[in-house]
Amino acid sequence: MSKNIYTHCNYCVSLCGLEVEVDDAGEKVIEIRPDRENPFSWVDFCRKGKTAAEIRNHPQRITTPMRRVGDRYVPASYEEAIADIAQRLNRIIERDGADAVGSYHGNPLGHNFGDSNLHAGLLAAIGTGNRFWVGSLDQNSLHVVQEEMFGCELMSVPTDVDDCECFLLMGMDPAVSRFGWIEIIPGGWKRVLEARDRGADLIVVDPRVTSSSKEARTHVLIEPGEDWAFLLALIKIIVDEGWNREPEAVPVNGLDAFFELVGEADLDDLSSRCGVSVEQLRDVAERFAKARTAACVSHTGLAHSGTGTVGEWLSQLLNIITNRMDMPGGKRYERGYVDLPKAWSMMAPKSKHRSRLRNLPTVAGFHSVAELADEILTPGAGQIRAMLICSGNPVVSGPDGDRLDKALSELELLVAVDIVQRESHRHAHWLIPGTHWLEREGLHLAFGSIMEKPFAQYGNRCVNPKAGVREEWRFFVDLALKMKRPLFGFRGINGVVRLSRALAKIPGLRKFEFGPAWFEWLMVAAGRRVKLSEVKRRPHGYMYDNKRYGDLARSLRTTSKKIECAPSILMDECRRLLAAPVPKMDPEFPFCMVSRRNRESMNSWMNENARLLQQQRSNQVEMHVEDMTDLGLEDGDPVRVSSPVGSIELTVTAGTGGRRGIVTIPHGWGSRIFDVNAPGRYSRWGENRNRLVDGQRIDPLSQTPLLNMTRVRVESLEPAVRRAPTRRAVGQ
Ligand SMILES: Nc1nc2c(c(=O)[nH]1)N[C@H]1C(S)=C(S)[C@@H](COP(=O)(O)OP(=O)(O)OC[C@H]3O[C@@H](n4cnc5c(=O)[nH]c(N)nc54)[C@H](O)[C@@H]3O)O[C@H]1N2
Ligand SMILES: Nc1nc2c(c(=O)[nH]1)N[C@H]1C(S)=C(S)[C@@H](COP(=O)(O)OP(=O)(O)OC[C@H]3O[C@@H](n4cnc5c(=O)[nH]c(N)nc54)[C@H](O)[C@@H]3O)O[C@H]1N2
Ligand code: SF4
Ligand SMILES: [Mo]
């Protein structure tokens, strides 16, 4: 017998509603289907969601804590693991201070509020300022801009897709990656295409031809890294022509100072920087400004380009000066059902911590992965000696992985919490099992406030965790208790946790045990918009209100209570870019390497699933066909791609077009998965292109490494060293 459980997929922020058929015992997933009764979020359903149980049943899955003994791992109990880790961490803290314990967490942790909240509680208990996170490889530019303009790092304005009549999509490929970023727009791309079919204008700005750009009315083939110049040019044209409009829904400060800066810019200069003719700039500016409704949307293509923070700021300003902010069909703020700024200030408290070596501040409470290797490798007071890596793979997803790998190998203690042992965990002294979202339940309290509609869905547990595996949050809490350091740094809280655990042993009181449910109950009640019981009562999801406009003005957290249009750090950086000479081509490294995603893999962690077949062809170097001809290359030829920091070998293929001089290699490949039961045995797919990325080059404001702007050389491999294209490597 089987039963259906309704939940949502947790791989990407499309959060597709799912109908999961499981056996009666709750042990086995029989089939995963889209939940067509979900009123909002199932239409993106893809094979990653369909095959989710395969990751849960991964043959290399870690199902018990594993301790490294020599070159092998031996199983241990949680009690042994926690006692040993607590003792070693306390010893390091007593000897070298709390900053000697570092932490990195990756993307999947952010998909579970309970785990990420109590992970934050553990870090506060440890008291370290050396916190690193995936945001520095992803959305930091948005956090910087939101903090400066709205007064809160997480106050995001999703795109109001259904009413939009002119989309200007920059640095995103939603046909592949779906529409989400720090905006959750389930079915977003399909809804953009529907709007286009009803007559909406669709402009895509990307240096490559993509599945998304092929659907656009206009594809702007921009010079990578120059989106800021493109946006400033559009703004200049709009202001000069008088097409700008007073923002109706939001109070603003500093527009005059910003317009002064716009006046300093020269249109021809901006046009040559971004490689877009003045004629095309005028055309796009006019279409955007004159459309009844419009939205400029910028995503990771900008964030990874070195100038993404200024680009993101100008993208918000383009929306503001054309009256698209918190207006129908523009960008709309959804307050959600909890007070996110308050929750965020608890999870990522404003930190005055500065990095020891480069003296950089934190962004959203965390330092940049670009600094991590140096902070581990450089001796001196404050050197990181122990690391906790939770659901992340920074050796592959971040820059200069070889150096980070070396750094991780020199730690006194490395603890990895993950489903499997990947590249970043290979030197781990302890491997702690992670759970799969099919095995967890919970309401993501932060997602409601970046959702494009007032929608909430409780994630129901579909199957039991693998025997003996504890949810991550339990490990974080247990570790803080064992270390005798107060969770969240709140004195007395550990006693409350213990008391609740003792009470939970009494029949009928189990549900009162301390855990994520406490936060769900408290924060939803404090938000006073929905009742938790009502959300839980609707397993297909709950559209709890109608869309409304005007909340942004009421929610701004700047001192002036207005949107700050001319923050000094952004004005200064923009002026610096304007004054800087146009970057020259380096004859030794004449190509610019950018990234793209694959429909059927998820960053570095799904390219081993044999059922997701497309990936087997995808880890190739894509080049413009004319560039290939110049180098005497043919489709399928093996090539070496080198940058100043490394080189990799792959086969080449003719891309679909786009700007000449661009080399595209998807990220996320080349991560080994180790077999914890067979020392040294691993499997690996493809090559890690981020080995070519220099960790020293960062966007100065967001501290995001230039994952997209790597200067590379491409050489044909001599027939003597030709080898079969990398498919699957299995090693000892
Ligand atoms: N060149 C280039 N590099 C990029 C990008 C790019 O576009 N180009 N994109 C960047 C972006 S946007 C991101 S978000 C980062 C991602 O960077 P990371 O988050 O560091 O890396 P992931 O590849 O997502 O690795 C996630 C890890 O979490 C584990 N995991 C999955 N689910 C769970 C779970 O439920 N519990 C636990 N404990 N572990 C789990 C997986 O096994 C995997 O090891 O990569 C960045 N790197
Ligand atoms: N299938 C799948 N879906 C995913 C993910 C995945 O790994 N696989 N990852 C998820 C995550 S964590 C994230 S953050 C989102 C990211 O989602 P998106 O932000 O849409 O990321 P990409 O699909 O990599 O698209 C980035 C685009 O930017 C372009 N680009 C590169 N450099 C520049 C530049 O300088 N300027 C401009 N204008 N464009 C540039 C690239 O050519 C590429 O087409 O996707 C999510 N969805
Ligand atoms: S991975 Fe696929 S099924 Fe899962 S949320 Fe994203 S689009 Fe939906
Ligand atoms: Mo991401």
Side-chain angles (χ1 to χ4, degrees):
M1 287 292 282
S2 68
K3 57 187 173 189
N4 290 335
I5 298 185
Y6 297 94
T7 189
H8 59 79
C9 177
N10 232 334
Y11 285 145
C12 80
V13 292
S14 285
L15 304 179
C16 293
L18 302 180
E19 180 178 80
V20 182
E21 187 180 345
V22 301
D23 68 349
D24 267 346
E27 296 298 336
K28 203 168 156 253
V29 173
I30 295 166
E31 195 180 0
I32 301 180
R33 300 179 281 265
D35 173 14
R36 289 168 206 274
E37 282 180 68
N38 185 305
F40 184 39
S41 64
W42 60 268
V43 293
D44 283 328
F45 183 72
C46 75
R47 286 213 302 209
K48 298 194 289 305
K50 191 174 172 55
T51 58
E54 293 185 19
I55 299 274
R56 174 179 180 254
N57 299 327
H58 201 292
Q60 269 80 47
R61 184 150 177 202
I62 303 166
T63 52
T64 181
M66 305 289 282
R67 179 211 296 262
R68 197 168 83 204
V69 179
D71 68 348
R72 58 185 59 235
Y73 285 93
V74 293
S77 68
Y78 272 94
E79 283 64 35
E80 286 169 315
I82 289 164
D84 185 65
I85 296 166
Q87 190 205 27
R88 290 163 78 172
L89 288 179
N90 273 340
R91 204 168 53 216
I92 291 171
I93 295 170
E94 276 151 31
R95 191 191 63 206
D96 297 333
D99 278 359
V101 180
S103 140
Y104 171 83
H105 71 268
N107 196 41
L109 193 76
H111 274 255
N112 184 287
F113 189 84
D115 289 341
S116 51
N117 188 28
L118 288 158
H119 178 257
L122 170 65
L123 295 188
I126 292 172
T128 176
N130 271 327
R131 304 171 190 197
F132 298 79
W133 76 326
V134 64
S136 57
L137 305 173
D138 186 350
Q139 77 261 12
N140 262 11
S141 51
L142 201 53
H143 292 314
V144 171
V145 168
Q146 290 168 175
E147 175 71 20
E148 292 294 325
M149 299 184 82
F150 306 148
C152 176
E153 286 137 346
L154 256 207
M155 201 176 271
S156 199
V157 276
T159 312
D160 197 17
V161 281
D162 293 333
D163 292 321
C164 184
E165 292 187 3
C166 177
F167 296 91
L168 178 57
L169 306 185
M170 307 191 53
M172 59 196 285
D173 187 8
V176 171
S177 56
R178 320 328 284 161
F179 207 99
W181 202 31
I182 308 302
E183 53 175 335
I184 302 182
I185 311 189
W189 178 238
K190 288 201 173 131
R191 288 153 67 193
V192 169
L193 295 180
E194 280 162 19
R196 180 205 58 186
D197 294 345
R198 291 194 302 269
D201 199 355
L202 176 55
I203 304 161
V204 167
V205 182
D206 200 303
R208 304 186 300 122
V209 173
T210 65
S211 318
S212 307
S213 75
K214 284 183 190 157
E215 300 288 346
R217 192 172 138 202
T218 300
H219 177 191
V220 178
L221 275 170
I222 194 160
E223 180 71 31
E226 303 294 339
D227 298 77
W228 70 274
F230 173 80
L231 284 159
L232 193 57
L234 297 189
I235 292 171
K236 189 171 175 64
I237 294 165
I238 289 169
V239 174
D240 287 352
E241 295 292 340
W243 296 330
N244 53 314
R245 281 182 268 164
E246 283 291 311
E248 284 169 49
V250 284
V252 292
N253 220 5
L255 260 189
D256 290 345
F258 171 65
F259 286 151
E260 226 170 86
L261 181 149
V262 175
E264 292 162 22
D266 175 76
L267 193 56
D268 292 325
D269 174 58
L270 295 173
S271 153
S272 77
R273 281 175 191 272
C274 65
V276 182
S277 69
V278 171
E279 193 190 6
Q280 185 167 42
L281 288 167
R282 280 190 188 287
D283 175 52
V284 172
E286 183 164 8
R287 277 155 61 186
F288 187 87
K290 293 192 173 167
R292 189 183 65 86
T293 59
C296 175
V297 189
S298 40
H299 281 190
T300 60
L302 272 70
H304 295 154
S305 75
T307 58
T309 319
V310 171
E312 181 61 46
W313 170 59
L314 293 170
S315 158
Q316 306 266 10
L317 279 165
L318 177 60
N319 287 320
I320 289 171
I321 65 149
T322 50
N323 191 24
R324 315 304 188 183
M325 197 53 95
D326 218 3
M327 292 293 284
K331 300 291 253 174
R332 192 185 75 88
Y333 177 65
E334 171 53 55
R335 187 173 75 72
Y337 48 86
V338 302
D339 187 343
L340 184 59
K342 204 178 255 170
W344 184 243
S345 62
M346 197 164 92
M347 290 170 65
K350 290 254 176 307
S351 163
K352 291 205 167 57
H353 194 264
R354 299 197 74 102
S355 59
R356 177 175 64 114
L357 301 168
R358 297 194 212 170
N359 193 31
L360 292 175
T362 57
V363 173
F366 297 89
H367 288 294
S368 170
V369 182
E371 291 197 85
L372 181 54
D374 290 343
E375 291 289 346
I376 298 173
L377 286 169
T378 314
Q383 179 186 8
I384 297 176
R385 299 301 303 138
M387 275 295 293
L388 196 58
I389 298 183
C390 295
S391 51
N393 197 4
V395 169
V396 176
S397 49
D400 203 355
D402 292 356
R403 190 165 157 72
L404 183 55
D405 176 73
K406 178 176 185 305
L408 296 174
S409 77
E410 295 191 7
L411 289 168
E412 258 175 73
L413 177 64
L414 174 58
V415 180
V417 186
D418 208 294
I419 296 176
V420 292
Q421 184 185 20
R422 285 182 208 271
E423 199 65 43
S424 304
H425 322 131
R426 77 180 181 111
H427 304 294
H429 301 92
W430 278 102
L431 297 166
I432 305 296
T435 46
H436 190 280
W437 49 261
L438 283 164
E439 303 162 347
R440 290 193 298 253
E441 63 180 3
L443 182 63
H444 203 303
L445 300 175
F447 279 179
S449 310
I450 51 174
M451 184 81 74
E452 161 254 356
K453 281 192 179 145
F455 179 74
Q457 186 179 9
Y458 197 80
N460 285 307
R461 176 178 290 126
C462 301
V463 277
N464 299 323
K466 293 279 170 182
V469 173
R470 296 182 192 171
E471 284 175 64
E472 285 86 327
W473 67 266
R474 285 190 182 274
F475 171 72
F476 304 143
V477 172
D478 290 345
L479 187 55
L481 293 186
K482 194 73 186 175
M483 290 176 78
K484 295 198 166 49
R485 290 174 189 271
L487 267 178
F488 295 103
F490 296 158
R491 264 173 208 289
I493 191 172
N494 290 11
V496 176
V497 174
R498 283 206 173 85
L499 181 67
S500 83
R501 286 183 171 184
L503 286 173
K505 290 196 178 122
I506 300 170
L509 296 186
R510 194 171 150 62
K511 62 180 180 197
F512 295 113
E513 187 192 344
F514 173 84
W518 281 30
F519 296 90
E520 279 168 12
W521 184 83
L522 268 170
M523 286 166 63
V524 173
R528 302 198 353 208
R529 194 127 181 241
V530 288
K531 284 207 173 87
L532 187 59
S533 55
E534 286 177 9
V535 179
K536 286 189 176 176
R537 224 164 5 95
R538 294 170 171 83
H540 304 290
Y542 179 23
M543 195 70 75
Y544 56 85
D545 206 346
N546 294 320
K547 268 195 307 192
R548 63 187 194 206
Y549 301 82
D551 277 355
L552 182 58
R554 284 187 284 276
S555 308
L556 290 168
R557 290 169 77 94
T558 46
T559 324
S560 62
K561 297 275 178 271
K562 295 178 178 176
I563 295 182
E564 293 295 345
C565 296
S568 59
I569 58 165
L570 288 154
M571 295 280 282
D572 291 352
E573 180 60 10
C574 189
R575 286 203 163 97
R576 190 187 69 77
L577 290 173
L578 276 170
V582 178
K584 279 214 180 71
M585 181 69 80
D586 178 348
E588 218 191 315
F589 299 103
F591 292 99
C592 176
M593 180 176 76
V594 300
S595 309
R596 72 167 174 79
R597 289 179 150 71
N598 295 316
R599 184 79 212 272
E600 302 197 326
S601 67
M602 189 65 194
N603 294 321
S604 80
W605 65 286
M606 229 174 263
N607 48 28
E608 72 272 13
N609 186 337
R611 268 182 71 196
L612 301 180
L613 292 173
Q614 178 195 312
Q615 64 212 353
Q616 294 179 32
R617 299 188 302 270
S618 334
N619 189 216
Q620 284 186 297
V621 181
E622 290 167 27
M623 291 183 79
H624 196 285
V625 70
E626 289 168 30
D627 289 333
M628 279 175 61
T629 310
D630 284 358
L631 293 176
L633 293 171
E634 285 173 22
D635 221 67
D637 278 355
V639 291
R640 178 179 298 122
V641 186
S642 315
S643 78
V645 298
S647 73
I648 57 173
E649 293 171 10
L650 283 166
T651 54
V652 70
T653 184
T656 45
R659 272 192 107 75
R660 286 198 63 177
I662 305 284
V663 161
T664 308
I665 310 181
H667 81 287
W669 296 77
S671 179
R672 281 175 287 183
I673 295 179
F674 297 92
D675 185 341
V676 288
N677 297 310
R681 204 179 145 70
Y682 64 82
S683 58
R684 187 187 68 191
W685 294 82
E687 293 294 336
N688 172 15
R689 48 90 75 208
N690 281 357
R691 290 175 62 202
L692 308 185
V693 176
D694 181 354
Q696 303 299 317
R697 293 178 68 213
I698 56 172
D699 177 326
L701 299 181
S702 66
Q703 303 177 29
T704 304
L706 279 67
L707 297 165
N708 260 342
M709 294 284 296
T710 313
R711 294 282 161 197
V712 296
R713 178 173 59 231
V714 180
E715 297 155 291
S716 172
L717 283 176
E718 290 302 312
V721 289
R722 282 188 179 205
R723 58 188 173 89
T726 313
R727 285 279 189 265
R728 178 158 196 256
V730 180
Q732 275 290 350

